[in-house]
């Protein structure tokens, strides 16, 4: 007999089954829970084959019966052993061995596999022949048991992601570069915003504008993705002008970073990639936490509870809430928040699931500022007006995710969301021209209504013994209506070295410069993708998408309307070779397109979408012996039709071309419950290939560093006696030197920022942690654009007391 817990079978096989039978017997007789046809050949490697499981929580006997049917394996168990044991719910694609270990966990039972492939459930015994109860099998890759939408709360490593292909595909099999920040990593580093969440990810440049916290500023592979590259639960959260709201990271359970051109699945986007955030979902098992976070001018209270609505109920719930009263480092700043997110899941049967996701967010914050050239003062100095310094947003979301398994091969999925955002944006800031003390005043009052829906059909089948097919067809639709009223004016001059504020009375707005604009955009997308697995070792991915976008700009203040239609077909080709169970090598070609939103009158040559193409090669290594994932990728990415201002003709022209070639290295590892580690390095050789200013050709694009690197390590010292576990962690983020402008007339120096964390388990349920970002309070310039220097965020130290159950 082959021991199922110790042996790792290297060959990937397929178990073919024809029929099943559940035999009810006495408690003393063995139960045959699944019996293949007598003529079928059952391979012993079937226990290590991957299958899609959907087994609800129930008695162990019933769960093993469903496991046998869904895995295509014959399972036998003595009825007396399985009696009075319950099994947890299992959902997702994983190895049969992983699913079975999860079902048996805590039961005192183990399994063996006979030479003909039969799985035999038996009691664990000691060397003395005594029965051993409550045995826990150690799984090398714990994340393997997680589906693509399950929260990973015990590891920095995710083995699956639905973002890269919109299907449940192992990261090892996908022909693209994707990085996952798990809930365990989010909580360990106590991230406060999306920029912090992705700051340890290869290929990502975060917080380009430092302490300016109006938006989450992110570059992927050298290209800004702030406007178009943010998604939540697979649906776009793009920004058209000013009106948007930052996501609350306490409401997230995972953040995926998909790198490279992505338009063949997601439509209009920049060439660098996208970030997809996954909202916390209801769980079948009851759990929860309450916490308070405190620091200098910072107080937060939060809670997160989930579980079934009632015993044996088809409904489960989750309620996540947060309140915060805080200030940022700059004088007269604030970061006050209210967040509440009720969610419900309904699972009437094993084939259907509906999850309802809602949230309300109210944020009252200020603005970070750039410092005009010639000013040398504290980075916390404030040159605006305290009574006119607001970036306040109120956001409401209601949406759902629906999945239905029509039969064993065909699945329908749909997710939709409606969003409403109100914005109040009021600011006074220093003018970057002489005299130095002159100030501008600016205000925007915006309303955004957004609706998005994505419908998909996925068909999985085995064509023959050599080919497995996974076909995806989808159609999505989004409609955004953004209404903004803006005012422009001035405020009286201020001495930046000895500021004296004058209040609202010194602010004057010019009525002739007031605007009232409504932008309405409807986007339609039809896409298809084929993932063909050949002889278990080769996976070919081919995808294409056609997009049609209608954009209407109604300038109410002037009575003018501009209409434009854009359409584009984009494609993707990828090939993955599974060299072993642990190593894959891949390559891809992908395309992107990005519409240009500007006045047609300023573009006499017309408006074309900005287009991107990418070539990428990579290797991924996921060792079976430890819970880790290591990736490397090289890429060549070009964007054409880049819109640029031509001072000679005082118009915009689409002659720009930017090339970004580079190397990304990334590793994530979790060793048991004691050690977590993530390392990343990025090399970018970016170049301006064409430009409205001929002197810029051959230069490096502004604000794109050649080198970036980061590392995080935390280690837990197990508690002894009355002492609890003590976790010590630390990290460093390095950004290399970069050019201030496309003319490359000034170089910004590199910087390294250190972070740290300490967590002490007071009891099994109570923990106290302290997290510090920019531990040594390093003062550095994160960017120097628009005539102003933007400083990075100073040191922040936050302590969190948490009670979990």
């Amino acid at each position: 007999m082959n021991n199922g817990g110790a042996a790792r079978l290297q060959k990937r096989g397929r178990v073919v089954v024809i029929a099943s039978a559940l035999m009810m017997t006495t408690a003393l007789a063995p139960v045959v829970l699944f019996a293949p046809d007598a003529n079928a050949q059952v391979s012993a490697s079937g226990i290590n084959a991957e299958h899609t499981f959907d087994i609800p929580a129930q008695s162990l006997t019933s769960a093993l019966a469903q496991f046998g049917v869904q895995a295509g394996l014959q399972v036998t168990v003595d009825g007396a052993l399985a009696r009075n044991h319950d099994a947890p719910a299992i959902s997702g694609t994983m190895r049969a061995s992983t699913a079975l270990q999860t079902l048996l966990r805590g039961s005192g039972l183990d399994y063996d596999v006979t030479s003909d492939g039969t799985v035999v459930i038996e009691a664990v015994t000691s060397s003395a022949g005594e029965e051993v109860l409550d045995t826990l099998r150690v799984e090398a890759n714990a994340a393997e048991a997680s589906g693509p939408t399950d929260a990973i709360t015990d590891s920095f490593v995710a083995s699956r992601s639905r973002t890269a292909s919109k299907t449940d595909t192992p990261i090892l099999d996908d022909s693209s570069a994707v990085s996952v920040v798990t809930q365990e990593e989010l909580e360990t580093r106590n991230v406060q915003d999306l920029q912090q969440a992705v700051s340890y990810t290869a290929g990502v440049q975060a917080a380009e504008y430092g302490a300016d916290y109006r938006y989450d500023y992110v570059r992927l592979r050298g290209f800004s993705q702030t406007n178009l590259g943010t998604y939540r639960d697979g649906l776009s959260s793009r920004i058209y002008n000013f009106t948007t709201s930052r996501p609350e990271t306490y409401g997230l359970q995972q953040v995926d970073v998909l790198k490279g051109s992505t338009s063949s699945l997601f439509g209009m986007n920049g060439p660098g990639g996208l970030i997809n955030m996954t909202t916390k979902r209801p769980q079948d098992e009851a759990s929860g936490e309450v916490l308070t976070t405190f620091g200098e001018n910072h107080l937060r209270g939060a809670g997160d509870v989930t579980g079934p609505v009632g015993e044996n109920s088809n409904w489960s719930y989750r309620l996540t809430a947060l309140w915060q009263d805080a200030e940022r480092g700059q004088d007269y700043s604030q970061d006050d928040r209210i967040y509440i997110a009720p969610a419900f899941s309904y699972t009437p049967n094993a084939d259907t699931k509906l999850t309802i996701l809602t949230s309300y967010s109210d944020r009252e914050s200020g603005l970070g500022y750039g410092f005009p050239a010639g000013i040398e003062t504290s980075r916390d100095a404030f040159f605006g007006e305290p009574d006119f310094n607001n970036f306040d947003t109120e956001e409401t979301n209601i949406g759902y995710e629906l999945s239905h398994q029509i039969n064993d091969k065909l699945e329908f999925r749909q997710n939709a969301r409606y969003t409403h955002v109100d914005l109040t944006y009021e600011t006074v800031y220093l003018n970057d021209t002489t005299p130095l003390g002159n100030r501008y005043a600016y205000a925007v009052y915006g309303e955004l209504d957004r609706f998005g829906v994505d419908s998909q059909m996925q068909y999985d089948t085995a064509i023959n013994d050599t080919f497995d097919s996974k076909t995806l067809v989808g159609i999505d639709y989004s409609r955004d209506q953004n209404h903004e009223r803006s005012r422009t004016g001035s405020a009286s001059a201020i001495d930046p070295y000895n500021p004296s504020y004058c209040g609202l009375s010194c602010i004057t707005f010019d009525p002739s410069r007031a605007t009232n604009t409504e932008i309405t955009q409807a986007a339609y997308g039809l896409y298809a993708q084929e993932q063909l697995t050949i002889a278990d070792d080769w996976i070919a991915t081919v995808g294409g998408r056609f997009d049609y976008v209608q954009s209407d700009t109604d300038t109410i203040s002037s009575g003018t309307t501009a209409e434009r239609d854009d359409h584009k077909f984009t494609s993707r080709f990828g090939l993955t070779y599974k060299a072993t169970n642990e190593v894959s090598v891949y390559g891809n070609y992908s395309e992107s397109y990005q519409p240009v939103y500007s006045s047609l009158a300023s573009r006499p040559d017309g408006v074309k979408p900005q287009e991107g193409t990418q070539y990428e090669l990579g290797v991924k290594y996921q060792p079976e012996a430890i819970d880790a994932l290591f990736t490397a990728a090289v890429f060549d990415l070009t964007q054409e039709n880049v819109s640029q201002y031509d001072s000679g003709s005082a118009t915009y022209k689409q002659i720009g071309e930017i090339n970004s070639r580079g190397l990304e290295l990334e590793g994530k590892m979790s060793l048991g419950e004691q050690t977590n580690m993530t390392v990343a390095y990025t090399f970018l050789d970016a170049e301006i290939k064409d430009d409205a200013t001929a002197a810029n050709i051959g230069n490096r694009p502004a604000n794109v560093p050649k080198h970036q690197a980061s590392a995080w390590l935390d280690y837990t010292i197990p508690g002894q006696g009355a002492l609890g576990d003590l976790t010590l962690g630390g990290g460093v983020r390095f950004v290399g030197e970069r050019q201030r402008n496309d003319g490359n007339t000034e170089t910004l120096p590199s910087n390294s920022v250190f972070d740290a964390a300490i967590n002490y388990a007071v009891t099994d349920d109570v923990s106290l942690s302290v997290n510090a970002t920019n531990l040594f309070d390093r003062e550095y310039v994160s960017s120097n654009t628009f005539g102003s220097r933007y400083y990075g965020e100073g040191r922040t130290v936050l302590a969190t007391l948490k009670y979990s159950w």
Side-chain angles (χ1 to χ4, degrees):
M1 300 176 71
N2 299 321
N3 183 270
R8 285 196 173 272
L9 305 175
Q10 298 301 314
K11 297 294 183 181
R12 295 184 298 277
R14 180 181 297 104
V15 178
V16 180
V17 297
I18 300 176
S20 65
L22 178 62
M23 302 175 63
M24 304 302 296
T25 67
T26 67
L28 299 178
V31 179
V32 181
L33 296 173
F34 181 80
D37 187 276
N39 295 322
Q41 294 296 318
V42 182
S43 168
S45 64
I47 193 64
N48 264 11
E50 286 194 347
H51 301 276
T52 299
F53 293 95
D54 192 347
I55 303 175
Q58 57 191 299
S59 68
L60 180 57
T61 302
S62 299
L64 289 173
Q66 292 193 22
F67 165 80
V69 172
Q70 296 179 23
L73 294 170
Q74 177 172 292
V75 182
T76 64
V77 60
D78 190 319
L81 294 177
R83 174 181 288 179
N84 299 324
H85 287 298
D86 293 325
I90 295 178
S91 178
T93 301
M94 65 192 81
R95 293 181 181 178
S97 59
T98 301
L100 184 55
Q101 290 158 15
T102 303
L103 293 177
L104 297 178
R105 190 163 294 157
S107 67
L109 303 178
D110 201 352
Y111 70 88
D112 277 337
V113 182
T114 65
S115 59
D116 66 354
T118 300
V119 178
V120 181
I121 308 300
E122 56 189 17
V124 179
T125 57
S126 69
S127 59
E130 298 175 348
E131 186 173 329
V132 179
L133 298 178
D134 298 329
T135 296
L136 178 64
R137 180 188 298 273
V138 177
E139 171 65 24
N141 288 317
E144 284 186 3
S146 299
T149 58
D150 292 337
I152 300 175
T153 59
D154 59 353
S155 175
F156 272 34
V157 184
S159 62
R160 322 189 71 84
S161 171
R162 194 182 289 276
T163 300
S165 61
K166 287 193 176 182
T167 65
D168 182 7
T169 300
I171 293 176
L172 203 63
D173 294 356
D174 211 301
S175 59
S176 58
V178 58
S179 300
V180 177
V181 184
T182 67
Q183 185 171 336
E184 174 74 4
E185 185 175 352
L186 293 171
E187 293 180 354
T188 299
R189 294 198 281 110
N190 192 25
V191 303
Q192 300 295 299
D193 55 49
L194 185 61
Q195 295 178 147
Q196 289 185 8
V198 299
S199 60
Y200 281 85
T201 302
V204 176
Q205 180 184 354
E208 181 175 334
Y209 292 98
D212 182 353
Y213 50 99
R214 294 171 298 169
Y215 307 98
D216 291 296
Y217 299 99
V218 176
R219 283 181 182 265
L220 300 180
R221 293 186 169 176
F223 293 90
S224 176
Q225 302 297 127
T226 300
N227 285 47
L228 296 178
T230 304
Y231 287 72
R232 183 156 187 162
D233 301 319
L235 297 173
S236 175
S237 298
R238 61 179 62 98
I239 305 171
Y240 289 98
N241 205 19
F242 290 99
T243 304
T244 192
S245 180
R246 297 181 78 181
E248 177 51 62
T249 51
Y250 185 68
L252 304 178
Q253 68 180 36
Q254 184 168 300
V255 178
D256 293 7
V257 182
L258 176 58
K259 303 161 197 175
S261 302
T262 61
S263 291
S264 65
L265 276 179
F266 291 91
M268 50 184 168
N269 210 337
L274 61 85
I275 296 174
N276 183 36
M277 301 168 286
T278 302
T279 305
K280 287 181 175 177
R281 282 149 166 70
Q283 304 296 306
D284 294 329
E285 294 185 8
S287 63
E289 67 178 28
V290 291
L291 60 87
T292 180
T293 299
F294 48 93
E296 184 179 3
N297 299 317
H298 186 109
L299 181 62
R300 165 186 285 195
D304 182 20
V305 292
T306 186
V309 173
E311 187 175 358
N312 299 322
S313 173
N314 293 328
W315 287 88
S316 57
Y317 77 95
R318 189 159 194 167
L319 179 61
T320 307
L322 176 144
W323 169 88
Q324 177 173 298
D325 183 0
E327 298 178 6
R328 307 289 287 226
Q330 194 172 47
D331 296 341
Y332 299 101
S333 65
Q334 62 177 341
D335 188 11
D336 300 342
R337 311 181 194 178
I338 295 175
Y339 176 79
I340 182 168
F344 298 91
S345 286
Y346 175 57
T347 310
N349 53 58
D351 296 326
T352 305
K353 185 173 185 178
L354 172 67
T355 299
I356 301 171
L357 300 169
T358 68
S359 66
Y360 171 80
S361 176
D362 185 7
R363 299 174 69 112
E364 296 183 359
S365 61
L367 302 90
Y369 290 92
F371 289 63
I375 291 182
E376 300 295 336
T377 185
S378 167
R379 61 181 166 177
D380 298 332
F382 178 70
F383 305 134
E385 285 297 326
D387 297 333
F388 203 73
N389 181 48
N390 303 299
F391 194 89
D392 301 341
T393 59
E394 188 174 10
E395 179 180 29
T396 303
N397 287 285
I398 181 169
Y400 68 85
E401 290 188 350
L402 172 67
S403 64
H404 177 64
Q405 193 74 37
I406 299 173
N407 55 45
D408 61 344
K409 296 182 178 180
L410 186 63
E411 182 185 15
F412 171 75
R413 296 189 296 268
Q414 185 179 78
N415 57 326
R417 183 174 63 242
Y418 167 75
T419 301
H420 178 80
V421 179
D422 289 312
L423 167 71
T424 298
Y425 175 9
E426 299 171 326
T427 181
V428 170
Y429 57 97
L430 274 180
N431 186 0
D432 60 355
T433 59
T434 56
L436 187 59
N438 275 8
R439 296 187 295 170
Y440 282 141
Y442 189 66
V444 177
Y445 305 96
E447 293 183 14
L448 170 66
D449 288 287
R450 167 180 293 137
F451 175 75
V453 59
D454 186 7
S455 304
Q456 306 167 10
M457 293 289 287
Q458 181 176 323
Y459 182 74
D460 297 356
T461 186
I463 300 174
N464 52 40
D465 289 342
T466 303
F467 297 98
D468 287 332
S469 171
K470 183 184 294 184
T471 305
L472 177 72
V473 177
I475 182 170
D476 60 26
Y477 167 77
S478 64
R479 185 180 188 275
D480 294 66
Q481 188 173 53
N482 186 12
H483 184 192
E484 292 183 345
R485 296 174 293 110
S486 66
R487 297 190 296 169
T488 302
S490 61
S492 59
I494 195 173
D495 183 352
Y497 302 103
N498 185 26
S500 178
Y501 308 113
C502 54
L504 299 179
S505 61
C506 66
I507 301 174
T508 303
F509 287 101
D510 183 353
S512 65
R513 301 179 65 187
T515 63
N516 188 353
T517 305
E518 184 172 272
I519 301 174
T520 303
Q521 183 184 79
Y524 307 81
L526 175 64
Y527 57 91
Q529 177 183 263
E530 169 63 27
Q531 293 170 280
L532 184 66
T533 302
I534 308 168
D536 291 333
D537 295 326
W538 295 89
I539 305 170
T541 302
V542 180
R545 176 180 170 118
F546 179 78
D547 280 278
Y548 177 68
V549 183
Q550 296 175 313
S551 303
D552 299 334
T553 303
D554 185 8
T555 307
I556 302 172
S557 52
S558 63
T560 60
T561 300
E563 300 179 355
R564 190 174 79 251
D565 294 344
D566 290 302
H567 55 84
K568 180 68 177 175
F569 178 83
T570 51
S571 60
R572 171 194 178 192
F573 303 92
L575 183 64
T576 301
Y577 172 61
K578 298 290 289 294
T580 70
N581 284 343
E582 301 175 312
V583 178
S584 66
V585 182
Y586 72 90
N588 76 54
Y589 166 82
S590 56
E591 298 175 335
S592 70
Y593 95 104
Q594 180 179 347
V596 176
Y597 303 103
S598 294
S599 170
L600 294 174
S602 65
R603 302 171 186 274
D605 297 331
V607 178
K608 298 179 292 185
Q610 299 179 154
E611 300 177 0
T613 57
Q614 176 186 263
Y615 300 89
E616 180 179 342
L617 294 173
V619 61
K620 303 175 184 180
Y621 172 51
Q622 187 171 20
E624 293 185 336
I626 60 174
D627 186 16
L629 178 64
F630 303 96
T631 61
V634 293
F635 55 89
D636 190 315
L637 204 165
T638 301
Q639 186 179 39
E640 300 175 332
N641 299 334
V642 177
S643 183
Q644 296 178 321
Y645 184 74
D646 182 6
S647 57
S649 61
T651 61
Y652 283 90
K653 294 184 177 181
Q654 290 187 272
I655 64 173
E657 180 179 334
I658 297 175
N659 176 256
S660 178
R661 297 178 297 176
L663 165 70
E664 293 168 352
L665 303 175
E666 184 173 277
K668 289 178 180 287
M669 180 172 64
S670 288
L671 300 180
E673 298 181 352
Q674 287 189 274
T675 305
N676 293 308
M677 182 186 73
T678 177
V679 292
Y681 169 74
T682 306
F683 169 78
L684 282 179
D685 180 17
E687 182 181 352
I688 299 173
K689 293 291 188 178
D690 202 357
D691 196 278
T693 303
N696 291 344
I697 297 175
N699 287 351
R700 188 173 187 84
N703 298 319
V704 178
K706 179 175 290 188
H707 301 280
Q708 282 185 263
S710 64
W712 174 274
L713 175 68
D714 63 74
Y715 178 76
T716 299
I717 304 171
Q720 296 182 354
L723 298 178
D725 294 349
L726 177 64
T727 301
L728 304 176
V732 58
R733 293 171 282 129
F734 168 80
V735 178
E737 65 179 28
R738 54 251 183 249
Q739 297 300 319
R740 186 181 77 82
N741 52 36
D742 288 346
N744 292 184
T745 59
E746 181 182 345
T747 300
L748 300 179
S750 62
N751 62 81
S752 296
V753 177
F754 291 84
D755 306 320
I758 301 175
N759 183 287
Y760 177 66
V762 181
T763 69
D764 290 341
D765 303 321
V766 178
S767 65
L768 176 63
S769 61
V770 179
N771 290 79
T773 56
N774 195 358
L775 178 64
F776 301 113
D777 202 23
R778 170 72 183 273
E779 183 174 305
Y780 63 96
V781 176
S782 57
S783 66
N784 190 345
T785 56
F786 308 113
S788 297
R789 300 189 314 275
Y790 291 82
Y791 285 96
E793 193 86 51
R795 178 172 53 221
T796 301
V797 181
L798 299 175
T800 300
L801 181 65
K802 180 191 296 185
Y803 172 68
S804 305
W805 65 91

